[in-house]
Amino acid sequence: MRVLVTGGAGFIGSHVVDALRGAGHEPVVFDLIPSPHHAADDVETVIGDVLDSDAVAAGMVGCDAVAHLAAAADVDAVAKNPARAEELNARGTLNVLEGARHAGVGRVVYASTIWVYGASEGSEPVDEDTALGAPEHLYTATKLAGEMYCRSYASLYGLDYTILRLGIPYGPRARPAAVIPAFVGRALAGEALTIAGSGDQCRRFVYVSDLAAGVASALRPEAANRVYNLVGEEDVSIKRIAETVSEIVGDTEVHHVPARAGDFRGVEVSGARAARELGWHARTPFHEGIRSYVEWRRALEGGELSVPEQAVAPPLPPARVAATPGAARPLRDRIASAGLFVAAEGLLGAYLLALHSAGIGALPTMLATSLTAVLLVAFGTGERRSLSIKLAWVTAVGAVLAALVPQLRELVDIDHLSASLVLLALAGAGFSVALAFGGLRQLGPSREGDERPADSGS
C-alpha cells in the first residue's frame, strides 16, 4: 500500500515511515523539509505545506491511504500563537481530507491525542466511547475539530477514516521541548529538573517506535471508521519521570513550579480496544524506553550519530521535485511545449472547419465549449476546476448522444451525416484537445512549486 505521511520528516512521522516500510508498505513523506532522519534517496519525498491545497493534492497522487501527522503539537507554542495553531491543525486537516476525497484515497488515518479526555467526567478508566467534555486547551479543541471533520467526510463523501488518540510520545528524534527530552537534557548538563505542580499528575507515555507500529496497524481493514487509544501500559507520574532520569543519568536536583494552565490532568486511558481489534499494545517498558533514549541522546551529543546529507542539500526524486517559485524551465522545453500547443490548436481548428463545411450546425459549438472547459481545468483551481470538469463531461456526453440518437441528430441538424463520420470527428477533436491540455500544463506554472512555509509536523 502506498501511504502519504504528512509531517513525515518530524518526530513521530519519521518513525511511522520506518514502521510502514517494515510492514511492507510504500511510504511517501509530505513535509516542509526533507527528512533529516532518512538519506536523500531512501524515501520518496514531496515538499509541501498542508495549508496549500494544490500541494496536498499533488502529494496524494497514486496513494492508497494517508497518515496525517502534520500539526502544531507543542501545547506551549499553541498557546503563544493560537491563530497559527488553529490554521495548521484544523484547516490543514480539512485540506488533507479534501485532497484525499478528490484523489480517491481509500483511508485517512488521523493522529489525535489523549488530551481530548482532559475534561471528561465519570468513572475511570476512560475509553473511546467515553463522552468528551468541552476542551480546556486550544490544542485539544483543534484536534477535536479534526476528529469531527473526519467523521463528517465519512458521512458526506464516504471517505474512510481511522482516528488514533495518541499517548504522550517519547524516544529518539523527539523535539527538545517535550518533557522527557527536556529532563534528560538538563540532567546530562548537570542542571536541576523542574516539575510543574506536585508532580503527581500521571500520563500514559508510549515509546515512539511502539506508537509508529500502531499507526501502521491502523491501516488494517477492520480499523476503518474506528477510534483507538494508542497508549502505554503504565501510568507514569511526572515525579517518576524525574526519578527515572535521575537514576539513569545520575543524581539530579528536582524543583517544583506552578502547574500550566489547561494541562492534561492525567485520567487513566484504556488501550484495550487497540489490543483487542488490532493486536497492538505498547511493548517497551517505561524504564527501558528512558534508558534507550538516554543512550541515543548521549550518542547524538557525542557525535556518534550523523545527520543525513539531505538535511543540508535536499535532492528529491525527479518526478516529485517541487520547482522553485519563479524558476524558468529550460528554453528547449518551453519551445517544445509551445509547439505542441500550437499544433494541437491547429488540428482542432481544422476539425472545426471540416465539420462546419460538412453542414454540422450545433456540433462545433459543443466542441468549442468542451475546449473552453479544458482550458479552465488547466488553469483553474478549487470549485472553478470542479465545475469545468463537469462542463467538459456534459458537453462530451451530449455530443456523443447527438451522434447516436436519431432524434437528437435531427435536433442539432446533423441527421444528414453518418454516425461514424460524426464520431470520427469527435475522436479527432478529443485527441487535439488532449494535446492542447498537455501543452498548457507544460507551459503553465508548477503547482508543486508554490508552497508557503508552515511549522513542520511532528
Side-chain angles (χ1 to χ4, degrees):
M1 184 181 294
R2 182 177 169 88
V3 184
L4 186 72
V5 183
T6 69
F11 168 38
I12 300 174
S14 63
H15 285 279
V16 169
V17 168
D18 295 337
L20 289 172
R21 290 198 298 189
H25 299 297
E26 179 188 355
V28 178
V29 171
F30 182 93
D31 213 316
L32 291 165
I33 60 171
S35 173
H37 310 295
H38 299 94
D41 58 351
D42 198 29
V43 59
E44 184 176 353
T45 301
V46 178
I47 301 300
D49 185 344
V50 293
L51 297 179
D52 183 342
S53 58
D54 286 339
V56 171
M60 297 282 180
V61 175
C63 290
D64 305 295
V66 179
H68 179 39
L69 303 165
D74 186 329
V75 293
D76 291 329
V78 170
K80 291 176 182 176
N81 195 343
R84 182 63 171 169
E86 187 280 333
E87 191 177 31
L88 285 170
N89 293 358
R91 187 64 55 84
T93 299
L94 187 68
N95 284 346
V96 168
L97 291 166
E98 184 71 356
R101 175 171 78 97
H102 286 296
V105 171
R107 179 96 63 86
V108 173
V109 177
Y110 173 65
S112 186
T113 175
I114 59 170
W115 275 56
V116 300
Y117 298 114
S120 298
E121 298 179 355
S123 60
E124 296 184 358
V126 296
D127 61 19
E128 294 85 351
D129 294 324
T130 298
L132 302 179
E136 298 173 354
H137 197 286
L138 181 68
Y139 171 69
T140 311
T142 62
K143 299 306 285 186
L144 277 174
E147 289 194 16
M148 290 186 283
Y149 290 165
C150 287
R151 291 188 173 95
S152 296
Y153 267 70
S155 176
L156 292 172
Y157 310 114
L159 176 61
D160 286 345
Y161 67 86
T162 301
I163 294 171
L164 302 178
R165 292 171 179 165
L166 307 184
I168 312 300
Y170 72 102
R173 308 173 190 170
R175 65 182 186 275
V179 58
I180 290 176
F183 276 12
V184 171
R186 291 190 184 113
L188 290 174
E191 301 175 1
L193 307 183
T194 302
I195 295 177
S198 67
D200 293 328
Q201 60 269 43
C202 290
R203 303 284 189 272
R204 278 293 178 102
F205 286 90
V206 56
Y207 197 64
V208 67
S209 59
D210 294 338
L211 193 63
V215 176
S217 69
L219 294 170
R220 294 168 56 173
E222 56 266 39
N225 303 316
R226 299 287 284 164
V227 180
Y228 297 99
N229 297 324
L230 299 186
V231 294
E233 299 291 317
E234 308 169 70
D235 283 323
V236 179
S237 69
I238 303 302
K239 184 186 299 182
R240 181 182 167 190
I241 298 174
E243 294 170 348
T244 303
V245 170
S246 178
E247 175 192 341
I248 294 173
V249 176
D251 290 337
T252 306
E253 294 182 3
V254 177
H255 296 162
H256 291 259
V257 298
R260 296 182 302 181
D263 200 4
F264 177 51
R265 64 184 179 84
V267 296
E268 182 182 350
V269 181
S270 171
R273 178 183 290 180
R276 183 174 63 251
E277 298 184 7
L278 303 180
W280 179 89
H281 65 274
R283 303 179 182 278
T284 306
F286 182 73
H287 192 279
E288 179 184 332
I290 293 293
R291 183 176 298 278
S292 296
Y293 176 71
V294 170
E295 291 174 354
W296 176 84
R297 184 74 174 262
R298 280 175 167 155
L300 182 68
E301 294 181 0
E304 299 173 35
L305 297 178
S306 60
V307 178
E309 290 183 3
Q310 126 273 12
V312 179
L316 301 177
R320 310 291 293 201
V321 173
T324 303
R329 289 187 174 88
L331 180 60
R332 182 178 60 184
D333 291 348
R334 294 185 65 83
I335 292 175
S337 299
L340 178 65
F341 175 68
V342 171
E345 288 296 286
L347 182 60
L348 179 61
Y351 267 105
L352 291 176
L353 287 174
L355 293 173
H356 181 71
S357 63
I360 301 176
L363 194 57
T365 302
M366 286 188 285
L367 292 174
T369 305
S370 297
L371 176 59
T372 302
V374 172
L375 294 177
L376 289 173
V377 172
F379 289 114
T381 59
E383 293 298 324
R384 185 172 60 179
R385 178 181 293 181
S386 176
L387 179 62
S388 58
I389 290 174
K390 294 175 183 177
L391 176 62
W393 274 109
V394 168
T395 53
V397 170
V400 172
L401 289 176
L404 297 178
V405 179
Q407 291 82 358
L408 291 177
R409 286 164 57 80
E410 181 178 355
L411 180 64
V412 296
D413 195 26
I414 58 172
D415 193 45
H416 60 287
L417 299 175
S418 66
S420 59
L421 176 61
V422 175
L423 290 176
L424 182 62
L426 285 171
F431 177 67
S432 64
V433 167
L435 286 177
F437 178 78
L440 283 171
R441 294 294 289 179
Q442 288 298 316
L443 283 171
S446 171
R447 296 184 184 281
E448 291 83 0
D450 197 25
E451 294 92 13
R452 57 185 182 276
D455 296 335
S456 178
S458 293

PDB file of all heavy atoms in Angstrom, residues 120-148:
ATOM      1  N   SER A 120     -13.071  15.069  30.629  1.00  0.00           N
ATOM      2  CA  SER A 120     -14.086  14.014  30.751  1.00  0.00           C
ATOM      3  C   SER A 120     -14.443  13.793  32.211  1.00  0.00           C
ATOM      4  O   SER A 120     -13.608  13.898  33.111  1.00  0.00           O
ATOM      5  CB  SER A 120     -13.569  12.706  30.156  1.00  0.00           C
ATOM      6  OG  SER A 120     -13.307  12.861  28.788  1.00  0.00           O
ATOM      7  N   GLU A 121     -15.721  13.470  32.435  1.00  0.00           N
ATOM      8  CA  GLU A 121     -16.205  13.209  33.779  1.00  0.00           C
ATOM      9  C   GLU A 121     -16.718  11.776  33.859  1.00  0.00           C
ATOM     10  O   GLU A 121     -17.062  11.158  32.854  1.00  0.00           O
ATOM     11  CB  GLU A 121     -17.326  14.180  34.158  1.00  0.00           C
ATOM     12  CG  GLU A 121     -16.888  15.648  34.171  1.00  0.00           C
ATOM     13  CD  GLU A 121     -18.025  16.574  34.527  1.00  0.00           C
ATOM     14  OE1 GLU A 121     -19.169  16.075  34.667  1.00  0.00           O
ATOM     15  OE2 GLU A 121     -17.785  17.784  34.669  1.00  0.00           O
ATOM     16  N   GLY A 122     -16.756  11.246  35.071  1.00  0.00           N
ATOM     17  CA  GLY A 122     -17.270   9.901  35.248  1.00  0.00           C
ATOM     18  C   GLY A 122     -16.175   8.962  35.720  1.00  0.00           C
ATOM     19  O   GLY A 122     -15.067   9.368  36.056  1.00  0.00           O
ATOM     20  N   SER A 123     -16.515   7.678  35.754  1.00  0.00           N
ATOM     21  CA  SER A 123     -15.595   6.678  36.283  1.00  0.00           C
ATOM     22  C   SER A 123     -14.431   6.471  35.331  1.00  0.00           C
ATOM     23  O   SER A 123     -14.539   6.629  34.126  1.00  0.00           O
ATOM     24  CB  SER A 123     -16.331   5.353  36.493  1.00  0.00           C
ATOM     25  OG  SER A 123     -16.866   4.876  35.277  1.00  0.00           O
ATOM     26  N   GLU A 124     -13.288   6.103  35.905  1.00  0.00           N
ATOM     27  CA  GLU A 124     -12.101   5.785  35.128  1.00  0.00           C
ATOM     28  C   GLU A 124     -11.955   4.269  35.070  1.00  0.00           C
ATOM     29  O   GLU A 124     -12.468   3.560  35.910  1.00  0.00           O
ATOM     30  CB  GLU A 124     -10.870   6.446  35.755  1.00  0.00           C
ATOM     31  CG  GLU A 124     -10.932   7.967  35.744  1.00  0.00           C
ATOM     32  CD  GLU A 124      -9.648   8.594  36.295  1.00  0.00           C
ATOM     33  OE1 GLU A 124      -8.746   7.840  36.707  1.00  0.00           O
ATOM     34  OE2 GLU A 124      -9.576   9.815  36.314  1.00  0.00           O
ATOM     35  N   PRO A 125     -11.217   3.717  34.100  1.00  0.00           N
ATOM     36  CA  PRO A 125     -10.511   4.441  33.043  1.00  0.00           C
ATOM     37  C   PRO A 125     -11.453   4.898  31.932  1.00  0.00           C
ATOM     38  O   PRO A 125     -12.543   4.355  31.789  1.00  0.00           O
ATOM     39  CB  PRO A 125      -9.520   3.392  32.533  1.00  0.00           C
ATOM     40  CG  PRO A 125     -10.203   2.088  32.764  1.00  0.00           C
ATOM     41  CD  PRO A 125     -10.974   2.261  34.042  1.00  0.00           C
ATOM     42  N   VAL A 126     -11.001   5.880  31.171  1.00  0.00           N
ATOM     43  CA  VAL A 126     -11.773   6.345  30.028  1.00  0.00           C
ATOM     44  C   VAL A 126     -11.393   5.513  28.806  1.00  0.00           C
ATOM     45  O   VAL A 126     -10.275   5.001  28.708  1.00  0.00           O
ATOM     46  CB  VAL A 126     -11.526   7.837  29.744  1.00  0.00           C
ATOM     47  CG1 VAL A 126     -12.000   8.693  30.906  1.00  0.00           C
ATOM     48  CG2 VAL A 126     -10.053   8.104  29.464  1.00  0.00           C
ATOM     49  N   ASP A 127     -12.324   5.366  27.892  1.00  0.00           N
ATOM     50  CA  ASP A 127     -12.032   4.658  26.643  1.00  0.00           C
ATOM     51  C   ASP A 127     -12.632   5.425  25.477  1.00  0.00           C
ATOM     52  O   ASP A 127     -13.118   6.550  25.641  1.00  0.00           O
ATOM     53  CB  ASP A 127     -12.542   3.208  26.689  1.00  0.00           C
ATOM     54  CG  ASP A 127     -14.055   3.107  26.874  1.00  0.00           C
ATOM     55  OD1 ASP A 127     -14.774   4.113  26.621  1.00  0.00           O
ATOM     56  OD2 ASP A 127     -14.542   2.035  27.277  1.00  0.00           O
ATOM     57  N   GLU A 128     -12.625   4.812  24.289  1.00  0.00           N
ATOM     58  CA  GLU A 128     -13.042   5.509  23.072  1.00  0.00           C
ATOM     59  C   GLU A 128     -14.514   5.882  23.073  1.00  0.00           C
ATOM     60  O   GLU A 128     -14.940   6.748  22.294  1.00  0.00           O
ATOM     61  CB  GLU A 128     -12.723   4.647  21.854  1.00  0.00           C
ATOM     62  CG  GLU A 128     -11.237   4.429  21.602  1.00  0.00           C
ATOM     63  CD  GLU A 128     -10.635   3.282  22.388  1.00  0.00           C
ATOM     64  OE1 GLU A 128     -11.335   2.724  23.281  1.00  0.00           O
ATOM     65  OE2 GLU A 128      -9.476   2.929  22.133  1.00  0.00           O
ATOM     66  N   ASP A 129     -15.321   5.248  23.920  1.00  0.00           N
ATOM     67  CA  ASP A 129     -16.750   5.549  23.985  1.00  0.00           C
ATOM     68  C   ASP A 129     -17.097   6.549  25.087  1.00  0.00           C
ATOM     69  O   ASP A 129     -18.264   6.906  25.256  1.00  0.00           O
ATOM     70  CB  ASP A 129     -17.544   4.252  24.206  1.00  0.00           C
ATOM     71  CG  ASP A 129     -17.452   3.314  23.014  1.00  0.00           C
ATOM     72  OD1 ASP A 129     -17.413   3.807  21.876  1.00  0.00           O
ATOM     73  OD2 ASP A 129     -17.404   2.089  23.233  1.00  0.00           O
ATOM     74  N   THR A 130     -16.118   7.000  25.835  1.00  0.00           N
ATOM     75  CA  THR A 130     -16.354   7.969  26.899  1.00  0.00           C
ATOM     76  C   THR A 130     -16.811   9.311  26.311  1.00  0.00           C
ATOM     77  O   THR A 130     -16.242   9.796  25.333  1.00  0.00           O
ATOM     78  CB  THR A 130     -15.071   8.188  27.720  1.00  0.00           C
ATOM     79  OG1 THR A 130     -14.690   6.950  28.334  1.00  0.00           O
ATOM     80  CG2 THR A 130     -15.271   9.256  28.781  1.00  0.00           C
ATOM     81  N   ALA A 131     -17.844   9.874  26.900  1.00  0.00           N
ATOM     82  CA  ALA A 131     -18.304  11.197  26.461  1.00  0.00           C
ATOM     83  C   ALA A 131     -17.233  12.231  26.761  1.00  0.00           C
ATOM     84  O   ALA A 131     -16.667  12.264  27.863  1.00  0.00           O
ATOM     85  CB  ALA A 131     -19.603  11.555  27.165  1.00  0.00           C
ATOM     86  N   LEU A 132     -16.953  13.067  25.790  1.00  0.00           N
ATOM     87  CA  LEU A 132     -15.889  14.052  25.918  1.00  0.00           C
ATOM     88  C   LEU A 132     -16.445  15.388  26.383  1.00  0.00           C
ATOM     89  O   LEU A 132     -17.452  15.864  25.846  1.00  0.00           O
ATOM     90  CB  LEU A 132     -15.165  14.233  24.580  1.00  0.00           C
ATOM     91  CG  LEU A 132     -14.548  12.963  23.977  1.00  0.00           C
ATOM     92  CD1 LEU A 132     -13.882  13.285  22.639  1.00  0.00           C
ATOM     93  CD2 LEU A 132     -13.558  12.318  24.930  1.00  0.00           C
ATOM     94  N   GLY A 133     -15.794  15.991  27.351  1.00  0.00           N
ATOM     95  CA  GLY A 133     -16.199  17.303  27.815  1.00  0.00           C
ATOM     96  C   GLY A 133     -15.665  18.394  26.900  1.00  0.00           C
ATOM     97  O   GLY A 133     -14.872  18.140  25.986  1.00  0.00           O
ATOM     98  N   ALA A 134     -16.126  19.622  27.152  1.00  0.00           N
ATOM     99  CA  ALA A 134     -15.636  20.749  26.362  1.00  0.00           C
ATOM    100  C   ALA A 134     -14.143  20.937  26.611  1.00  0.00           C
ATOM    101  O   ALA A 134     -13.700  20.904  27.758  1.00  0.00           O
ATOM    102  CB  ALA A 134     -16.394  22.017  26.735  1.00  0.00           C
ATOM    103  N   PRO A 135     -13.360  21.096  25.566  1.00  0.00           N
ATOM    104  CA  PRO A 135     -11.906  21.190  25.733  1.00  0.00           C
ATOM    105  C   PRO A 135     -11.502  22.434  26.502  1.00  0.00           C
ATOM    106  O   PRO A 135     -12.085  23.501  26.368  1.00  0.00           O
ATOM    107  CB  PRO A 135     -11.385  21.237  24.291  1.00  0.00           C
ATOM    108  CG  PRO A 135     -12.531  21.729  23.473  1.00  0.00           C
ATOM    109  CD  PRO A 135     -13.766  21.199  24.138  1.00  0.00           C
ATOM    110  N   GLU A 136     -10.460  22.284  27.344  1.00  0.00           N
ATOM    111  CA  GLU A 136      -9.960  23.396  28.138  1.00  0.00           C
ATOM    112  C   GLU A 136      -8.755  24.067  27.488  1.00  0.00           C
ATOM    113  O   GLU A 136      -8.339  25.135  27.944  1.00  0.00           O
ATOM    114  CB  GLU A 136      -9.570  22.890  29.534  1.00  0.00           C
ATOM    115  CG  GLU A 136     -10.756  22.300  30.299  1.00  0.00           C
ATOM    116  CD  GLU A 136     -10.344  21.655  31.609  1.00  0.00           C
ATOM    117  OE1 GLU A 136      -9.113  21.569  31.847  1.00  0.00           O
ATOM    118  OE2 GLU A 136     -11.216  21.243  32.379  1.00  0.00           O
ATOM    119  N   HIS A 137      -8.187  23.450  26.479  1.00  0.00           N
ATOM    120  CA  HIS A 137      -6.992  23.994  25.829  1.00  0.00           C
ATOM    121  C   HIS A 137      -7.247  24.085  24.333  1.00  0.00           C
ATOM    122  O   HIS A 137      -7.921  23.215  23.753  1.00  0.00           O
ATOM    123  CB  HIS A 137      -5.783  23.096  26.103  1.00  0.00           C
ATOM    124  CG  HIS A 137      -4.457  23.748  25.838  1.00  0.00           C
ATOM    125  ND1 HIS A 137      -3.985  23.983  24.564  1.00  0.00           N
ATOM    126  CD2 HIS A 137      -3.503  24.208  26.692  1.00  0.00           C
ATOM    127  CE1 HIS A 137      -2.797  24.563  24.648  1.00  0.00           C
ATOM    128  NE2 HIS A 137      -2.485  24.715  25.909  1.00  0.00           N
ATOM    129  N   LEU A 138      -6.737  25.117  23.707  1.00  0.00           N
ATOM    130  CA  LEU A 138      -6.946  25.295  22.268  1.00  0.00           C
ATOM    131  C   LEU A 138      -6.373  24.125  21.470  1.00  0.00           C
ATOM    132  O   LEU A 138      -6.950  23.722  20.462  1.00  0.00           O
ATOM    133  CB  LEU A 138      -6.310  26.604  21.806  1.00  0.00           C
ATOM    134  CG  LEU A 138      -6.496  26.900  20.311  1.00  0.00           C
ATOM    135  CD1 LEU A 138      -7.955  27.197  20.000  1.00  0.00           C
ATOM    136  CD2 LEU A 138      -5.623  28.060  19.866  1.00  0.00           C
ATOM    137  N   TYR A 139      -5.237  23.580  21.907  1.00  0.00           N
ATOM    138  CA  TYR A 139      -4.674  22.423  21.205  1.00  0.00           C
ATOM    139  C   TYR A 139      -5.692  21.302  21.127  1.00  0.00           C
ATOM    140  O   TYR A 139      -5.927  20.713  20.059  1.00  0.00           O
ATOM    141  CB  TYR A 139      -3.407  21.945  21.921  1.00  0.00           C
ATOM    142  CG  TYR A 139      -2.881  20.629  21.387  1.00  0.00           C
ATOM    143  CD1 TYR A 139      -2.324  20.557  20.113  1.00  0.00           C
ATOM    144  CD2 TYR A 139      -2.941  19.474  22.157  1.00  0.00           C
ATOM    145  CE1 TYR A 139      -1.853  19.345  19.615  1.00  0.00           C
ATOM    146  CE2 TYR A 139      -2.464  18.277  21.674  1.00  0.00           C
ATOM    147  CZ  TYR A 139      -1.917  18.213  20.406  1.00  0.00           C
ATOM    148  OH  TYR A 139      -1.463  17.026  19.911  1.00  0.00           O
ATOM    149  N   THR A 140      -6.339  20.989  22.253  1.00  0.00           N
ATOM    150  CA  THR A 140      -7.360  19.935  22.276  1.00  0.00           C
ATOM    151  C   THR A 140      -8.523  20.286  21.362  1.00  0.00           C
ATOM    152  O   THR A 140      -9.037  19.429  20.642  1.00  0.00           O
ATOM    153  CB  THR A 140      -7.870  19.747  23.709  1.00  0.00           C
ATOM    154  OG1 THR A 140      -6.756  19.620  24.586  1.00  0.00           O
ATOM    155  CG2 THR A 140      -8.730  18.500  23.808  1.00  0.00           C
ATOM    156  N   ALA A 141      -8.928  21.549  21.374  1.00  0.00           N
ATOM    157  CA  ALA A 141     -10.048  21.976  20.529  1.00  0.00           C
ATOM    158  C   ALA A 141      -9.733  21.761  19.047  1.00  0.00           C
ATOM    159  O   ALA A 141     -10.583  21.292  18.283  1.00  0.00           O
ATOM    160  CB  ALA A 141     -10.381  23.444  20.797  1.00  0.00           C
ATOM    161  N   THR A 142      -8.510  22.082  18.648  1.00  0.00           N
ATOM    162  CA  THR A 142      -8.161  21.917  17.228  1.00  0.00           C
ATOM    163  C   THR A 142      -8.087  20.451  16.835  1.00  0.00           C
ATOM    164  O   THR A 142      -8.454  20.081  15.721  1.00  0.00           O
ATOM    165  CB  THR A 142      -6.819  22.595  16.920  1.00  0.00           C
ATOM    166  OG1 THR A 142      -5.759  21.985  17.687  1.00  0.00           O
ATOM    167  CG2 THR A 142      -6.868  24.080  17.216  1.00  0.00           C
ATOM    168  N   LYS A 143      -7.619  19.596  17.755  1.00  0.00           N
ATOM    169  CA  LYS A 143      -7.549  18.164  17.432  1.00  0.00           C
ATOM    170  C   LYS A 143      -8.946  17.542  17.392  1.00  0.00           C
ATOM    171  O   LYS A 143      -9.228  16.675  16.562  1.00  0.00           O
ATOM    172  CB  LYS A 143      -6.672  17.429  18.441  1.00  0.00           C
ATOM    173  CG  LYS A 143      -5.224  17.913  18.499  1.00  0.00           C
ATOM    174  CD  LYS A 143      -4.557  17.886  17.136  1.00  0.00           C
ATOM    175  CE  LYS A 143      -4.176  16.496  16.678  1.00  0.00           C
ATOM    176  NZ  LYS A 143      -3.412  16.506  15.413  1.00  0.00           N
ATOM    177  N   LEU A 144      -9.829  18.000  18.268  1.00  0.00           N
ATOM    178  CA  LEU A 144     -11.216  17.528  18.207  1.00  0.00           C
ATOM    179  C   LEU A 144     -11.899  17.992  16.931  1.00  0.00           C
ATOM    180  O   LEU A 144     -12.718  17.261  16.353  1.00  0.00           O
ATOM    181  CB  LEU A 144     -11.989  18.026  19.424  1.00  0.00           C
ATOM    182  CG  LEU A 144     -11.845  17.200  20.696  1.00  0.00           C
ATOM    183  CD1 LEU A 144     -12.550  17.884  21.859  1.00  0.00           C
ATOM    184  CD2 LEU A 144     -12.398  15.791  20.489  1.00  0.00           C
ATOM    185  N   ALA A 145     -11.574  19.202  16.476  1.00  0.00           N
ATOM    186  CA  ALA A 145     -12.131  19.668  15.205  1.00  0.00           C
ATOM    187  C   ALA A 145     -11.727  18.721  14.083  1.00  0.00           C
ATOM    188  O   ALA A 145     -12.551  18.359  13.232  1.00  0.00           O
ATOM    189  CB  ALA A 145     -11.634  21.088  14.908  1.00  0.00           C
ATOM    190  N   GLY A 146     -10.461  18.293  14.074  1.00  0.00           N
ATOM    191  CA  GLY A 146     -10.016  17.336  13.063  1.00  0.00           C
ATOM    192  C   GLY A 146     -10.774  16.027  13.139  1.00  0.00           C
ATOM    193  O   GLY A 146     -11.123  15.442  12.112  1.00  0.00           O
ATOM    194  N   GLU A 147     -11.047  15.545  14.354  1.00  0.00           N
ATOM    195  CA  GLU A 147     -11.834  14.312  14.507  1.00  0.00           C
ATOM    196  C   GLU A 147     -13.226  14.486  13.895  1.00  0.00           C
ATOM    197  O   GLU A 147     -13.725  13.594  13.184  1.00  0.00           O
ATOM    198  CB  GLU A 147     -11.954  13.944  15.981  1.00  0.00           C
ATOM    199  CG  GLU A 147     -10.679  13.437  16.623  1.00  0.00           C
ATOM    200  CD  GLU A 147     -10.948  12.773  17.969  1.00  0.00           C
ATOM    201  OE1 GLU A 147     -12.127  12.445  18.243  1.00  0.00           O
ATOM    202  OE2 GLU A 147      -9.990  12.565  18.737  1.00  0.00           O
ATOM    203  N   MET A 148     -13.846  15.610  14.169  1.00  0.00           N
ATOM    204  CA  MET A 148     -15.192  15.841  13.639  1.00  0.00           C
ATOM    205  C   MET A 148     -15.176  15.984  12.125  1.00  0.00           C
ATOM    206  O   MET A 148     -16.091  15.521  11.437  1.00  0.00           O
ATOM    207  CB  MET A 148     -15.798  17.075  14.309  1.00  0.00           C
ATOM    208  CG  MET A 148     -16.136  16.841  15.773  1.00  0.00           C
ATOM    209  SD  MET A 148     -17.024  18.219  16.551  1.00  0.00           S
ATOM    210  CE  MET A 148     -15.673  19.372  16.803  1.00  0.00           C
TER     211      MET A 148
END
